[in-house]
Amino acid sequence: MKKIKFTKEGLIHFLSSNAVPIMFIILSLFAIPLSGFSINYLVQELLTRLGRNSFLVLSLLIPIIAGMGLNFGMVLGAMAGQIGLLFVTDWGVAGIPGLSLAAIIATPLAALLGYLCGKILNKAKGREMVTGFILAFLMDGIYQLLVLYGMGSVIPIKSSGLVLSRGYGIRNAVNLVGVRQSLDDLIPLSIAGLKIPLVTFMVIAFFCLFIVWFRKTKLGQDMRALGQDMAVSDSAGIPVEKTRIIAIIISTILACYGQIIFLQNIGTMNTYGSHNQTGMFSIAALLIGGASVSRASISNVFLGVILFHLMFVVSPMAGKTLIGSAMLGEYFRVFISYGIIAIALVLHAWKRQKERERERLSLRLGNGTAVKAGE
Amino acid sequence: METKKRRTLIRISLIIFIILFSMFLYRIGKTHTLLLDNKAVTLEGVSFAALESVVVKAGRYDPVEIYPRERGMLSTKGPRQRITLEVYNKAGELSLSRTFRIATKEEMILISLPALVADHPQAISPFTPPGQ
């Protein structure tokens, strides 16, 4: 176990490393009493949102291990998941068989999209995040073309609840009544009046164990080596490009399953918008949990989901109490949440720059000593 | 060469397994709409009078109560269905259950409740909505 040193430097280091979660905890401590919500209500909301979002956020960990930053390309996996759900809704397959079938349909699609994404990201080494972000926009266009014009005309969709009245294209909002909360309610559990989505939590726990195990495998170790230094890993014989592609494929497939879990909990799908929100919210939650572009852990995921969604729940009511308008509260939540994310990214860039400067300085000082010693 | 052949064989088997498993999932997860008809009906020359009141239950779904000349609806999942009927007639109360199978391709099934209570083989028939 690591020994914590209670020194001034140690405290400063702790505060600067955990600045974002600390800011969010302080904000939440102010907002919770203002919102007037009971503890029971807040805990119930957080349990529901933990089950809904954790899998998606966890899917971001593997590319971070591989040094590819935050996978904005996870939106591609979310799109694949949505296509799987559209098909099972059209075929009228409900419950757990419906969810499993959606996952089976979506997996090859997510793998293909992940492979393409990985290939493109290999061409843009060092700029993976912005490339992934723009790639998600490109794929969103293709997805919209497929769903808005392809489905119902080229791809047979017969359900009148799905197809627009003109005969092709999918409606903006799709009712996922067949699969709604089928995973959450598979084993109904209620403790002290709190409804607990037990099976969803079991799936998430299994996924956490998978990540812990994966990090210890040969592939996981290769990814960690890549995350530390790509050039050294290449010299050591690690297939850099192949490993990076595998990391993105795994992340995209897991994001696809995460989106299916997310949508079964919500029960309604925003056909043209759900996937975009997913990417942004998951990345925001992970950063708020104290993760950075190059370092993230399972604890960051859960802390981030709790803090980010706590703000979601309390801020409209806190805003209403404070200013008299729930809309203004929501505006401040968006402003502060995304402002803090921007600060997190800037802090990360600043820290990296400082580290590089320090390394350069130590190298120069080392050389200086060597020159003096040679004299 | 031998390893490559074995790998290909394993991959093909895996794909076949996934396809078969998907078909199994489709079969057990397919939803069907049961249209429950409580009207007087004549089947093969035998007349069945409408039931005074009947409560129909299927699986975990909410029960439906149907009066004479009414039609109720239930959504069920899977090929094998077991419905429970609680019939309230002048003669008294009667509780019975019926098990039947639905073909996967059938979206809607019309069930004549008076005929089903009498265990007539034609009580259950596929239903196609008008205009389809």
Side-chain angles (χ1 to χ4, degrees):
Chain A
M1 234 176 107
K2 243 183 190 178
K3 262 192 174 177
I4 302 163
K5 283 180 187 171
F6 291 101
T7 56
K8 196 183 166 189
E9 287 81 23
L11 187 70
I12 290 169
H13 178 74
F14 176 78
L15 288 176
S16 66
S17 319
N18 300 290
V20 179
I22 290 168
M23 271 192 259
F24 260 81
I25 289 169
I26 293 167
L27 273 174
S28 303
L29 289 176
F30 273 108
I32 292 170
L34 283 172
S35 70
F37 287 129
S38 68
I39 294 296
N40 251 29
Y41 175 80
L42 286 177
V43 173
Q44 178 64 72
E45 278 295 313
L46 287 178
L47 282 173
T48 309
R49 284 161 187 264
L50 263 174
R52 190 189 292 164
N53 295 285
S54 298
F55 201 100
L56 273 167
V57 186
L58 281 166
S59 75
L60 290 167
L61 292 185
I62 288 171
I64 294 176
I65 295 170
M68 299 177 81
L70 299 159
N71 181 20
F72 280 90
M74 75 178 289
V75 174
L76 275 64
M79 285 176 203
Q82 287 180 190
I83 289 172
L85 280 173
L86 279 175
F87 278 116
V88 294
T89 308
D90 179 47
W91 298 338
V93 187
I96 294 295
L99 285 182
S100 312
L101 192 57
I104 289 174
I105 294 164
T107 303
L109 200 59
L112 177 72
L113 291 171
Y115 176 77
L116 292 175
C117 184
K119 274 272 185 196
I120 293 167
L121 295 187
N122 274 343
K123 305 261 182 236
K125 285 193 192 97
R127 296 179 299 277
E128 286 94 350
M129 285 201 291
V130 71
T131 312
F133 193 64
I134 299 301
L135 192 64
F137 280 117
L138 169 75
M139 281 315 296
D140 189 35
I142 296 169
Y143 168 84
Q144 287 195 24
L145 183 74
L146 179 82
V147 176
L148 201 53
Y149 293 100
M151 287 193 168
S153 55
V154 184
I155 303 161
I157 300 282
K158 56 180 174 15
S159 169
S160 57
L162 283 178
V163 181
L164 289 164
S165 54
R166 66 181 182 194
Y168 61 91
I170 302 295
R171 289 177 193 276
N172 194 29
V174 172
N175 188 1
L176 303 172
V177 68
V179 294
R180 179 177 294 152
Q181 301 194 343
S182 47
L183 191 67
D184 297 343
D185 295 343
L186 191 62
I187 302 174
L189 178 70
S190 208
I191 298 172
L194 298 168
K195 198 182 140 199
I196 297 162
L198 186 66
V199 180
T200 313
F201 282 150
M202 280 160 73
V203 171
I204 292 164
F206 176 75
F207 186 15
C208 292
L209 290 176
F210 166 78
I211 289 173
V212 172
W213 167 80
F214 182 78
R215 284 166 71 105
K216 290 174 186 165
T217 59
K218 162 82 172 64
L219 188 61
Q221 293 291 337
D222 285 356
M223 284 182 189
R224 286 173 75 173
L226 274 182
Q228 279 166 10
D229 200 311
M230 230 187 297
V232 173
S233 307
D234 195 27
S235 315
I238 296 170
V240 173
E241 304 219 330
K242 192 183 163 193
T243 312
R244 281 163 59 92
I245 290 174
I246 292 171
I248 290 294
I249 290 176
I250 294 173
S251 174
T252 313
I253 292 174
L254 292 173
C256 153
Y257 298 156
Q259 183 73 349
I260 291 172
I261 292 173
F262 175 85
L263 289 172
Q264 66 84 33
N265 177 273
I266 300 261
T268 314
M269 184 171 94
N270 176 1
T271 314
Y272 304 100
S274 281
H275 50 282
N276 293 327
Q277 290 169 3
T278 295
M280 194 58 85
F281 288 174
S282 303
I283 287 164
L286 189 63
L287 288 173
I288 286 163
S292 73
V293 175
S294 57
R295 182 185 52 85
S297 64
I298 293 169
S299 54
N300 292 141
V301 172
F302 293 109
L303 181 65
V305 172
I306 290 172
L307 289 176
F308 186 59
H309 287 279
L310 188 64
M311 285 303 286
F312 254 100
V313 178
V314 296
S315 61
M317 282 309 285
K320 199 178 174 191
T321 315
L322 208 63
I323 317 159
S325 164
M327 270 165 64
L328 271 174
E330 179 61 9
Y331 164 75
F332 276 110
R333 184 196 64 75
V334 174
F335 174 71
I336 293 169
S337 298
Y338 296 113
I340 287 177
I341 290 159
I343 291 170
L345 291 172
V346 170
L347 273 176
H348 175 75
W350 176 74
K351 263 190 213 165
R352 278 187 71 174
Q353 199 185 344
K354 283 277 167 199
E355 271 168 26
R356 275 187 202 142
E357 275 172 19
R358 209 176 309 141
E359 275 170 20
R360 234 176 286 146
L361 193 70
S362 64
L363 207 66
R364 231 178 274 153
L365 284 173
N367 283 346
T369 327
V371 170
K372 270 181 189 171
E375 280 173 355
Chain B
M1 189 65 190
E2 194 58 38
T3 318
K4 205 177 173 186
K5 213 174 170 183
R6 202 170 56 196
R7 192 183 292 159
T8 315
L9 207 70
I10 290 169
R11 282 178 182 173
I12 291 169
S13 319
L14 201 67
I15 291 168
I16 291 168
F17 170 75
I18 289 170
I19 292 168
L20 290 174
F21 185 59
S22 304
M23 286 162 75
F24 168 73
L25 288 173
Y26 180 82
R27 193 165 156 71
I28 62 162
K30 175 78 180 162
T31 49
H32 306 276
T33 306
L34 306 181
L35 298 171
L36 308 159
D37 213 1
N38 189 13
K39 289 174 188 169
V41 65
T42 305
L43 296 170
E44 292 175 327
V46 186
S47 295
F48 301 97
L51 306 163
E52 277 182 32
S53 166
V54 58
V55 176
V56 187
K57 282 182 202 165
R60 288 192 298 177
Y61 299 94
D62 289 335
V64 184
E65 189 170 9
I66 307 158
Y67 292 96
R69 292 177 301 282
E70 274 187 1
R71 181 176 277 184
M73 197 177 81
L74 267 176
S75 239
T76 58
K77 194 174 77 179
R80 194 170 175 274
Q81 298 300 327
R82 183 186 163 87
I83 59 171
T84 311
L85 301 123
E86 281 171 19
V87 185
Y88 301 94
N89 265 346
K90 275 173 194 161
E93 195 183 317
L94 174 72
S95 183
L96 52 112
S97 62
R98 294 279 183 268
T99 306
F100 54 92
R101 293 187 80 85
I102 305 173
T104 309
K105 61 175 184 178
E106 300 296 351
E107 296 275 336
M108 281 185 173
I109 294 290
L110 182 67
I111 301 175
S112 170
L113 293 173
L116 189 74
V117 169
D119 219 0
H120 194 277
Q122 284 182 7
I124 299 162
S125 56
F127 179 81
T128 311
Q132 277 192 20

